[in-house]
Amino acid sequence: MSAVNLTAELVRLQTETAKFQHDFTDNVNSFFLCSMALIIFFMQCGFAFLEAGAVRSKNTTNILIKNLLDSLIVIIGYWAVGWAFAYGESANETVGLFVGHSQFFLAGYTDYSKFFFQYVFAATAATIVSGAVAERCEFACYVAYCLIISTIVYPFLAHWGWNEHGWMAQGITSGVINTKYDDFAGSGVIHLCGGAISLLAAWIMGPRIGRFPEDDEDESDEILGHSVPFAALGGFILMFGFLAFNGGSVGSLSNEGDGQIVALAMINTILSGAFAAITYLIVYFYQYGKWTLLLTLNACLSGMVASCAGCNKMETWGSVWVGVGAGLIYLALSRLVRKFKIDDPLDAFAVHAGGGFWGLMSASIIAKGGIVYALFDLITGADNSGDFIKASFAQLGWQMICALAIIVWSLVIMYPVFAVLKKIGKLRVPEEIEINGLDVFKHGELAYPLRAYGHGWHEFENA
Amino acid sequence: MSAVNLTAELVRLQTETAKFQHDFTDNVNSFFLCSMALIIFFMQCGFAFLEAGAVRSKNTTNILIKNLLDSLIVIIGYWAVGWAFAYGESANETVGLFVGHSQFFLAGYTDYSKFFFQYVFAATAATIVSGAVAERCEFACYVAYCLIISTIVYPFLAHWGWNEHGWMAQGITSGVINTKYDDFAGSGVIHLCGGAISLLAAWIMGPRIGRFPEDDEDESDEILGHSVPFAALGGFILMFGFLAFNGGSVGSLSNEGDGQIVALAMINTILSGAFAAITYLIVYFYQYGKWTLLLTLNACLSGMVASCAGCNKMETWGSVWVGVGAGLIYLALSRLVRKFKIDDPLDAFAVHAGGGFWGLMSASIIAKGGIVYALFDLITGADNSGDFIKASFAQLGWQMICALAIIVWSLVIMYPVFAVLKKIGKLRVPEEIEINGLDVFKHGELAYPLRAYGHGWHEFENA
Amino acid sequence: MSAVNLTAELVRLQTETAKFQHDFTDNVNSFFLCSMALIIFFMQCGFAFLEAGAVRSKNTTNILIKNLLDSLIVIIGYWAVGWAFAYGESANETVGLFVGHSQFFLAGYTDYSKFFFQYVFAATAATIVSGAVAERCEFACYVAYCLIISTIVYPFLAHWGWNEHGWMAQGITSGVINTKYDDFAGSGVIHLCGGAISLLAAWIMGPRIGRFPEDDEDESDEILGHSVPFAALGGFILMFGFLAFNGGSVGSLSNEGDGQIVALAMINTILSGAFAAITYLIVYFYQYGKWTLLLTLNACLSGMVASCAGCNKMETWGSVWVGVGAGLIYLALSRLVRKFKIDDPLDAFAVHAGGGFWGLMSASIIAKGGIVYALFDLITGADNSGDFIKASFAQLGWQMICALAIIVWSLVIMYPVFAVLKKIGKLRVPEEIEINGLDVFKHGELAYPLRAYGHGWHEFENA
């Protein structure tokens, strides 16, 4: 070929290759986000059954419809305004530190896979609370808090922590210090937020009738869930979903090594969950002589929650400590809550706030670049170890500030909501309904109508 | 390098790049189809539990085995002949408008991922009907209709609508009119087909004993399903699956923007389901003062069914109307069916035929390029708005013709099948079996054998 | 452009393209492995419910926690040492034939997606056994065997068969003979291993109290599982998972045609399962006049197990015979086990060892390049058909040797384990606990606490 032809051919090849790479990367990234989002979406089913198994049969339909509506209310709320607050642009830089305000109803926005992925995260944030208010929450209250969490509370937090313009994401830069909110998959903005609201809701709502009898002795046995298998089913689905939750948070497959980070995140998630569960199981067995399934499952979930923040850069040995810590924190918090006679039927606070907070801390302590690494450098006398120490402690401090901000924001918005609902009598169902169960009165649907049972063929039965 | 070397290098690079692009596109497309097909396959579990929850305990094993066998019978039937009818070639062009007839048993066909994806669609079409005939259908009848739907009824429809040679896909071209059957993910060829057959089957089979008592008052409560949680589990799985169903229908990731269409389809699916569910819930609450879970779930599914046809090109605001419409149509049809004393225990007709028909219509009315857009152009006085109006109404007309063809074909093939089965006494189980339940007599397996229950450790129980 | 510029541009393009191809292939391969591994992980939930449905209500919590802990114990054991044995390097070539011994705790290893994928396989191997020892196994015994299978038994087998240095993978080369262990997705190293250990465990442990009454007549009805729907749920999830199990075993999407092999593997898996199920169903109906759900499900799974070994190179017609064979072998083995009064509540031996063994054989007989093809060549008088016959029979012989090695190894390691546990009284729970159920005594958690049931609103109930 002549030089002219060669040039033309080369340019053509360059153009074609660039187009292929661009299109294909886009398509594969979308596929990745959508497939992970699908599995995260299925976590709604997991929460539904974890909670359905943990309530009495008379409130089963109620808890199921709550969880079904979660995903449906949140898609409407997040599509209408939530996304705009979280990821919309703001012309004003100062406003932009706190909230976005464009792309309402997705107007003009076409990166659908990112939206879809963010939607399933929002749905998760909203659904955590339903466990804490189970068996006594008014339907109107549920719809209200669900809408407000998905349109205001969570979107603002996502903006602060995950939008590049947000104040937590921007952090502080000064000398060797360069802090940035570090929360890969939402230990803070999702789980700590949901967990904090859970505690608030459970506290304002008060315990279920009969939950804390005068005679304190047999408290832990007082109200039992009606189906261990359903709770276990929910737990399995949540574990399945958590792997996608944390793996999917890589968010793209465009950069070198992205795929391996997906896998690393998944490994750290299951490792952390495993160590949390085993730790809890052993402590519990040591104390009570029983191998508890339900609480071990909760411990496992709290380990997975804790792994959210740093699973992308944690070395696998680090997950041992993330897990052990999460298991113990869950143990401590769940007992503390009971001590204060706050009735959180699903331990939503202990699992999500405890795991979430420890996740934020451990990401600055144990994950690569964290305090443990700085101390190791200091001890081995590496260069600049003093700066490293300073920077890593500053980072931990910033994480704490952000954790505090998340808690305060969640409570400041939600307290008035619950207070108003209480005022107007829409917070909690009347005593008669609570005692007889919400299913019949509120939904007209018994979970297990007696008349639908009957085994027939008596000869067979008696054989 | 010399020009000669350069040319050689360039040609080598071109060849290599072309090969990489070709192979990798193939592989990723296969991966995409297979992973979406996997989740769609799991919808069989969703249908099984939606239906198992909705029947009485004495027929639970029966409905579960029906749904298990669906996927197994359909893979055999669709592999043997169904695929050949749907996507095989025909040497004769006129025959080719109606049916293919090559690649029986996949002989000579190697695009396995396309086959696998189409198989899970065929399984869905067949499985819809099992809800309508629940609690009274003979096992032989079930096997027969399942085989015929998956080998004849659905494959022909897929050929008509989705094979480029099919008469519905070819449509009519004349002047500004250029109609083509427009059914992205099967509102028509799957759901309208399955829904129409459901009504036929439920009608021929007659209502379950005790379904419509003389005294009309308490009809709606007469026969209740035995487990709301199972029905909800099925519903959650179906929602999960529907997202893959509609997203996966993009069918490839090779073209610019394919990935975003996957995500858009998923968003429209959940939005449409959400608006259908909320609409139904509000209307129902207004009428009866109860927040129904089971019917809201059905409404949500009908919204998702309706989104199938146009979710790839619907703007998100359009899904609001697809959903609201689907919710209301489901409401109307489910009551109409009951008014006519046809016993469709799962509302398979109302959900799938109602949602499916509205899906086909809305794809021509609300989706991009539809009548709403033509009217907008007309009102704003855009160029060629007259032609646009003409073309879009012609398209709607063609959709109606195709919808009619789907219904007629489904009924024309299946009516004789059910009639013959009735004649030879293989349509419906004898009265004694129906009253005592199919599980023991037909399957020898009680869903919940009493002897397997017993809680032990009486001290604990009584504590 | 000048030649110099052209050269520079071309080199730049070459470099960029190579980098893109390398990175993107890596990322997509990771994504593929992780997403398939996710679904395989979910099989733990499938096993849990298949088994939970098949035990009595008093042992339901016990079987669920066993299955939950499977995935958690295995991640710890496999991460710590299992992986190192299976895929670690060995400096010594002879040692390397049998075991690796580097990368303990994943030290220095970064191909995380491969590890994650292998982990879910290890979890599957360990989980098979829990069905065989259900309702009577001590918790300590369960933890012990689970750890040993995931850290020693299975990793060694994986090394032998799937590590390129392993002795089974290396095989024998001599003249026209070139054997290599041929087990695509683990019919042998996973299922035959798990199945053989299941039989051993069930035999050593002895039958459940009341399983084989003096009066032999009604044996098959003696102990029934408490929930057919749970068993079916587990079965559906396992079918879903098996498709990913076999499809995912392709392991990469880098080579031409990989994607289609993924799809082919899935098609063969479902076809084989379908033919196994239908075969069993017909034989059983012919004998007993009932359409059994639970056993058909087991037959389906045994067909899927059998498809593991050769599903990547089986033509679809071959899966008919893989399935029919698996269905019949399952039938025969499950009866044989009962004849010998060995109590394997889940038929773990018949499903996994029977299906697994037949899978290994059929991969050398029916799959492409197998004996059937050699015989066809011989009959049609193709060139070198004699060599082909020789080579294919040698391959079958090698498969048999490997199958034997898998069985022997599994039993040789596990027999002492169970024997020691028996000696120290940690094999089986005391009679009193077995009779009253493990849930209360061992776990303190009834699956369905009576006090959690109660339907409220008596007026409604009686209406």
Side-chain angles (χ1 to χ4, degrees):
Chain A
M1 277 188 262
S2 71
V4 174
N5 285 345
L6 267 172
T7 305
E9 278 294 294
L10 183 60
V11 170
R12 204 176 53 78
L13 183 60
Q14 283 175 325
T15 315
E16 275 178 21
T17 307
K19 180 166 166 49
F20 172 82
Q21 295 182 2
H22 177 266
D23 289 355
F24 209 52
T25 305
D26 255 22
N27 285 338
V28 171
N29 280 346
S30 280
F31 170 30
F32 173 65
L33 282 175
C34 287
S35 60
M36 292 298 122
L38 272 182
I39 296 177
I40 301 170
F41 177 82
F42 194 47
M43 291 178 81
Q44 297 293 326
C45 181
F47 279 108
F49 279 85
L50 189 73
E51 297 175 11
V55 302
R56 288 161 293 180
S57 71
K58 63 185 175 182
N59 298 317
T60 303
T61 301
N62 179 258
I63 203 84
L64 289 169
I65 194 171
K66 277 182 187 175
N67 277 281
L68 171 69
L69 287 180
D70 263 331
S71 37
L72 304 181
I73 291 176
V74 172
I75 185 66
I76 296 175
Y78 197 68
W79 163 70
V81 301
W83 167 268
F85 290 157
Y87 292 98
E89 301 285 321
S90 172
N92 182 310
E93 206 175 304
T94 310
V95 172
L97 287 172
F98 301 98
V99 67
H101 46 79
S102 61
Q103 300 161 4
F104 291 95
F105 298 94
L106 285 193
Y109 189 75
T110 56
D111 190 350
Y112 296 115
S113 54
K114 187 173 174 195
F115 170 79
F116 187 58
F117 192 76
Q118 295 301 328
Y119 148 62
V120 294
F121 269 54
T124 308
T127 210
I128 291 169
V129 181
S130 58
V133 298
E135 306 206 270
R136 59 205 191 282
C137 178
E138 265 288 357
F139 200 73
C141 166
Y142 163 75
V143 173
Y145 84 68
C146 190
L147 257 179
I148 290 165
I149 291 175
S150 64
T151 55
I152 298 177
V153 182
Y154 168 71
F156 273 69
L157 292 177
H159 187 89
W160 297 357
W162 285 341
N163 188 313
E164 50 173 343
H165 304 300
W167 68 268
M168 293 184 349
Q170 297 233 324
I172 291 170
T173 308
S174 149
V176 299
I177 292 172
N178 180 10
T179 67
K180 271 180 185 356
Y181 177 62
D182 190 7
D183 185 7
F184 180 62
S187 282
V189 300
I190 292 178
H191 295 285
L192 184 53
C193 161
I197 298 172
S198 294
L199 184 69
L200 176 73
W203 172 69
I204 296 185
M205 213 159 275
R208 288 167 292 174
I209 295 166
R211 175 67 182 88
F212 296 110
E214 304 300 299
D215 166 11
D216 255 16
E217 285 320 294
D218 48 8
E219 57 175 71
S220 71
D221 292 336
E222 202 43 48
I223 297 185
L224 294 174
H226 82 289
S227 174
V228 168
F230 281 157
L233 174 64
F236 274 112
I237 293 174
L238 286 176
M239 290 168 67
F240 173 49
F242 250 119
L243 296 172
F245 198 93
N246 288 358
S249 289
V250 173
S252 88
L253 293 174
S254 330
N255 308 305
E256 188 179 343
D258 275 352
Q260 292 299 347
I261 300 178
V262 172
L264 176 61
M266 290 182 181
I267 295 169
N268 277 325
T269 305
I270 183 75
L271 263 178
S272 179
F275 276 98
I278 304 289
T279 303
Y280 190 95
L281 187 66
I282 291 171
V283 172
Y284 191 93
F285 183 77
Y286 184 83
Q287 292 192 309
Y288 300 107
K290 305 280 183 199
W291 308 103
T292 167
L293 168 59
L294 297 176
L295 301 181
T296 302
L297 198 52
N298 270 348
C300 178
L301 294 177
S302 75
M304 289 180 151
V305 167
S307 74
C308 288
C311 59
N312 60 326
K313 50 177 194 162
M314 190 74 67
E315 294 189 81
T316 52
W317 64 261
S319 287
V320 177
W321 306 112
V322 176
V324 170
L328 296 175
I329 290 171
Y330 164 67
L331 184 91
L333 286 186
S334 65
R335 292 185 183 178
L336 197 70
V337 166
R338 214 163 58 209
K339 192 72 73 193
F340 281 99
K341 306 220 167 184
I342 293 172
D343 181 17
D344 179 356
L346 267 286
D347 272 345
F349 169 71
V351 168
H352 295 280
F357 182 78
W358 172 236
L360 288 183
M361 296 305 106
S362 61
S364 295
I365 299 174
I366 308 172
K368 258 185 196 162
I371 287 172
V372 168
Y373 289 80
L375 288 174
F376 181 80
D377 272 17
L378 189 68
I379 291 163
T380 58
D383 287 350
N384 299 320
S385 60
D387 286 355
F388 191 179
I389 285 281
K390 215 186 287 178
S392 65
F393 273 95
Q395 174 62 28
L396 181 64
W398 187 246
Q399 293 285 92
M400 286 181 178
I401 291 169
C402 292
L404 193 68
I406 290 167
I407 296 168
V408 170
W409 168 257
S410 303
L411 301 184
V412 160
I413 299 295
M414 294 311 293
Y415 180 80
V417 173
F418 291 123
V420 167
L421 286 165
K422 188 167 192 175
K423 192 89 186 172
I424 62 174
K426 286 291 178 193
L427 186 72
R428 184 170 175 158
V429 298
E431 192 172 321
E432 190 199 1
I433 295 178
E434 186 177 337
I435 289 171
N436 286 297
L438 282 72
D439 286 2
V440 175
F441 189 84
K442 287 283 179 182
H443 308 285
E445 289 168 327
L446 275 179
Y448 312 100
L450 285 181
R451 87 174 72 157
Y453 286 81
H455 296 83
W457 303 102
H458 284 281
E459 312 79 55
F460 184 88
E461 250 320 89
N462 301 328
Chain B
M1 277 187 265
S2 71
V4 174
N5 285 345
L6 268 172
T7 304
E9 279 294 294
L10 182 60
V11 169
R12 205 175 53 78
L13 183 61
Q14 282 174 326
T15 315
E16 276 179 21
T17 308
K19 178 163 166 51
F20 173 82
Q21 294 182 3
H22 177 266
D23 290 355
F24 209 52
T25 304
D26 255 20
N27 286 338
V28 171
N29 281 347
S30 279
F31 170 30
F32 172 66
L33 282 176
C34 287
S35 60
M36 291 298 122
L38 271 182
I39 297 177
I40 300 170
F41 177 83
F42 195 48
M43 291 177 81
Q44 298 292 327
C45 182
F47 279 108
F49 279 84
L50 189 73
E51 296 175 11
V55 302
R56 287 162 293 180
S57 71
K58 62 184 174 183
N59 298 316
T60 303
T61 301
N62 178 259
I63 202 84
L64 288 169
I65 194 172
K66 278 182 188 176
N67 277 281
L68 171 69
L69 288 181
D70 263 332
S71 37
L72 304 181
I73 290 176
V74 173
I75 184 66
I76 297 176
Y78 197 68
W79 162 70
V81 301
W83 168 267
F85 290 156
Y87 292 98
E89 301 286 320
S90 173
N92 181 310
E93 205 176 305
T94 310
V95 173
L97 287 172
F98 299 99
V99 67
H101 47 78
S102 60
Q103 300 161 5
F104 290 95
F105 298 94
L106 285 193
Y109 189 76
T110 56
D111 190 349
Y112 297 115
S113 54
K114 189 174 173 193
F115 171 79
F116 187 59
F117 192 76
Q118 295 302 328
Y119 148 62
V120 295
F121 270 55
T124 309
T127 211
I128 291 169
V129 182
S130 59
V133 297
E135 306 206 89
R136 59 204 190 283
C137 178
E138 264 288 356
F139 200 72
C141 166
Y142 163 73
V143 173
Y145 85 68
C146 191
L147 258 179
I148 290 166
I149 291 175
S150 64
T151 55
I152 298 177
V153 181
Y154 168 72
F156 273 69
L157 292 178
H159 187 89
W160 297 357
W162 284 344
N163 187 313
E164 50 172 344
H165 304 300
W167 69 267
M168 295 185 346
Q170 296 233 323
I172 291 170
T173 308
S174 149
V176 299
I177 292 172
N178 179 11
T179 67
K180 272 180 184 357
Y181 177 62
D182 190 8
D183 184 8
F184 180 62
S187 281
V189 299
I190 293 177
H191 295 284
L192 183 53
C193 162
I197 298 172
S198 294
L199 184 68
L200 176 72
W203 172 68
I204 295 185
M205 211 159 276
R208 287 167 293 175
I209 295 166
R211 174 68 182 90
F212 295 110
E214 303 301 298
D215 165 12
D216 255 18
E217 284 319 294
D218 49 6
E219 58 176 72
S220 70
D221 293 335
E222 202 43 46
I223 297 185
L224 293 175
H226 84 288
S227 175
V228 168
F230 281 158
L233 175 64
F236 274 111
I237 293 174
L238 286 176
M239 290 168 70
F240 174 48
F242 250 120
L243 295 171
F245 198 94
N246 288 358
S249 289
V250 172
S252 89
L253 293 174
S254 330
N255 309 304
E256 189 179 342
D258 276 351
Q260 292 299 346
I261 300 178
V262 172
L264 176 61
M266 291 182 181
I267 296 169
N268 278 325
T269 305
I270 184 74
L271 264 178
S272 179
F275 276 98
I278 304 289
T279 303
Y280 190 95
L281 187 68
I282 291 170
V283 172
Y284 190 92
F285 184 76
Y286 182 82
Q287 292 192 308
Y288 300 105
K290 305 280 183 199
W291 308 103
T292 168
L293 168 59
L294 297 176
L295 301 180
T296 301
L297 198 51
N298 270 348
C300 178
L301 295 177
S302 76
M304 288 180 152
V305 167
S307 74
C308 288
C311 59
N312 61 326
K313 51 178 196 162
M314 190 75 67
E315 295 189 81
T316 51
W317 64 261
S319 287
V320 178
W321 305 112
V322 176
V324 169
L328 296 175
I329 289 171
Y330 164 67
L331 184 91
L333 287 186
S334 66
R335 292 185 183 179
L336 197 69
V337 166
R338 213 165 57 211
K339 192 71 74 190
F340 281 98
K341 305 219 168 186
I342 293 172
D343 181 16
D344 179 355
L346 266 287
D347 271 346
F349 169 71
V351 168
H352 295 279
F357 182 79
W358 173 236
L360 288 182
M361 297 305 106
S362 61
S364 295
I365 299 173
I366 307 172
K368 256 184 197 164
I371 289 173
V372 168
Y373 289 80
L375 289 174
F376 182 80
D377 271 17
L378 190 69
I379 290 163
T380 57
D383 287 350
N384 300 322
S385 60
D387 288 353
F388 191 179
I389 285 281
K390 216 187 286 177
S392 65
F393 272 96
Q395 173 62 28
L396 180 64
W398 187 246
Q399 292 284 92
M400 286 181 177
I401 290 168
C402 292
L404 193 68
I406 290 168
I407 296 169
V408 169
W409 168 257
S410 303
L411 301 184
V412 159
I413 298 294
M414 295 310 296
Y415 181 80
V417 173
F418 290 122
V420 167
L421 285 165
K422 189 167 190 174
K423 192 89 186 175
I424 62 175
K426 286 290 179 195
L427 187 73
R428 185 169 175 158
V429 297
E431 192 171 322
E432 190 200 2
I433 296 178
E434 186 176 338
I435 289 171
N436 285 298
L438 283 71
D439 286 1
V440 175
F441 189 84
K442 287 282 179 183
H443 307 286
E445 290 168 328
L446 275 179
Y448 312 100
L450 285 181
R451 88 176 70 156
Y453 285 82
H455 296 82
W457 303 102
H458 285 282
E459 313 77 56
F460 183 88
E461 251 319 88
N462 301 328
Chain C
M1 277 189 263
S2 71
V4 174
N5 284 346
L6 267 171
T7 305
E9 278 294 293
L10 182 60
V11 169
R12 204 175 55 78
L13 183 59
Q14 282 174 327
T15 315
E16 276 179 19
T17 307
K19 180 164 165 49
F20 172 82
Q21 294 181 2
H22 177 267
D23 290 356
F24 209 52
T25 304
D26 255 21
N27 285 339
V28 171
N29 281 347
S30 280
F31 170 30
F32 172 65
L33 282 176
C34 288
S35 60
M36 292 298 123
L38 271 182
I39 297 178
I40 300 170
F41 177 83
F42 194 47
M43 290 177 82
Q44 297 292 326
C45 181
F47 279 108
F49 279 85
L50 189 72
E51 296 175 12
V55 301
R56 287 161 294 178
S57 70
K58 62 184 175 183
N59 297 318
T60 303
T61 302
N62 178 259
I63 203 82
L64 288 169
I65 194 172
K66 278 184 189 175
N67 277 281
L68 171 69
L69 287 180
D70 263 332
S71 37
L72 304 181
I73 290 177
V74 173
I75 185 65
I76 296 176
Y78 197 69
W79 162 70
V81 301
W83 167 267
F85 290 156
Y87 292 98
E89 302 284 322
S90 173
N92 181 309
E93 207 175 305
T94 311
V95 172
L97 288 171
F98 300 99
V99 67
H101 47 79
S102 62
Q103 300 161 5
F104 290 96
F105 299 94
L106 285 193
Y109 189 76
T110 56
D111 189 350
Y112 297 114
S113 54
K114 187 172 173 195
F115 170 79
F116 187 58
F117 192 76
Q118 295 301 329
Y119 147 63
V120 295
F121 269 54
T124 307
T127 212
I128 290 169
V129 181
S130 59
V133 298
E135 306 206 269
R136 60 206 190 283
C137 178
E138 264 289 356
F139 200 72
C141 166
Y142 163 75
V143 173
Y145 85 69
C146 191
L147 258 178
I148 290 166
I149 291 175
S150 65
T151 56
I152 298 177
V153 182
Y154 168 71
F156 272 70
L157 292 178
H159 187 89
W160 298 357
W162 285 342
N163 189 313
E164 49 173 343
H165 303 301
W167 68 268
M168 294 184 348
Q170 296 233 323
I172 290 170
T173 307
S174 149
V176 298
I177 292 172
N178 180 10
T179 68
K180 272 182 183 355
Y181 178 63
D182 190 10
D183 184 9
F184 181 62
S187 282
V189 299
I190 293 177
H191 295 284
L192 183 53
C193 162
I197 297 173
S198 294
L199 184 68
L200 176 72
W203 172 67
I204 296 185
M205 212 159 274
R208 289 167 291 176
I209 296 167
R211 174 68 182 87
F212 296 110
E214 304 301 298
D215 165 12
D216 254 19
E217 285 319 293
D218 48 7
E219 58 176 69
S220 71
D221 292 337
E222 203 42 46
I223 297 184
L224 293 174
H226 82 289
S227 174
V228 168
F230 281 157
L233 175 63
F236 274 112
I237 294 173
L238 287 175
M239 290 168 68
F240 173 49
F242 251 119
L243 296 171
F245 198 93
N246 288 357
S249 289
V250 172
S252 88
L253 293 174
S254 329
N255 309 303
E256 188 180 344
D258 275 352
Q260 292 298 348
I261 300 178
V262 172
L264 175 62
M266 291 182 181
I267 295 169
N268 278 324
T269 305
I270 183 76
L271 263 178
S272 179
F275 276 97
I278 304 288
T279 302
Y280 189 95
L281 186 67
I282 291 170
V283 172
Y284 190 92
F285 183 76
Y286 183 81
Q287 293 192 308
Y288 301 106
K290 305 281 182 199
W291 307 102
T292 167
L293 168 59
L294 296 177
L295 302 181
T296 301
L297 198 50
N298 270 348
C300 178
L301 294 176
S302 76
M304 289 180 152
V305 167
S307 75
C308 288
C311 60
N312 60 326
K313 50 178 194 162
M314 192 73 68
E315 294 189 82
T316 51
W317 64 261
S319 287
V320 177
W321 305 112
V322 176
V324 170
L328 296 176
I329 289 171
Y330 164 67
L331 184 91
L333 287 185
S334 66
R335 291 183 186 182
L336 196 69
V337 166
R338 215 165 55 209
K339 192 73 72 190
F340 281 98
K341 305 219 168 185
I342 294 173
D343 181 17
D344 179 357
L346 266 287
D347 271 346
F349 169 71
V351 168
H352 294 280
F357 183 79
W358 172 236
L360 287 183
M361 295 306 106
S362 61
S364 295
I365 298 173
I366 308 172
K368 258 185 194 161
I371 288 173
V372 168
Y373 289 79
L375 288 174
F376 182 80
D377 271 16
L378 189 69
I379 290 162
T380 57
D383 288 350
N384 300 320
S385 60
D387 287 354
F388 191 178
I389 284 282
K390 215 186 289 179
S392 65
F393 272 95
Q395 173 62 28
L396 180 65
W398 187 246
Q399 292 284 93
M400 284 179 179
I401 290 168
C402 293
L404 192 68
I406 290 167
I407 295 169
V408 170
W409 168 258
S410 303
L411 301 184
V412 160
I413 298 294
M414 294 310 295
Y415 181 80
V417 173
F418 290 123
V420 167
L421 286 165
K422 189 167 190 174
K423 192 89 186 174
I424 63 175
K426 285 292 179 193
L427 186 73
R428 185 169 174 157
V429 298
E431 192 171 322
E432 191 200 1
I433 296 178
E434 187 177 338
I435 289 171
N436 286 296
L438 283 73
D439 286 1
V440 174
F441 189 84
K442 287 282 179 183
H443 307 286
E445 289 168 328
L446 275 179
Y448 312 100
L450 285 181
R451 88 177 69 157
Y453 285 81
H455 296 83
W457 302 102
H458 285 281
E459 312 78 56
F460 183 87
E461 250 320 88
N462 301 327

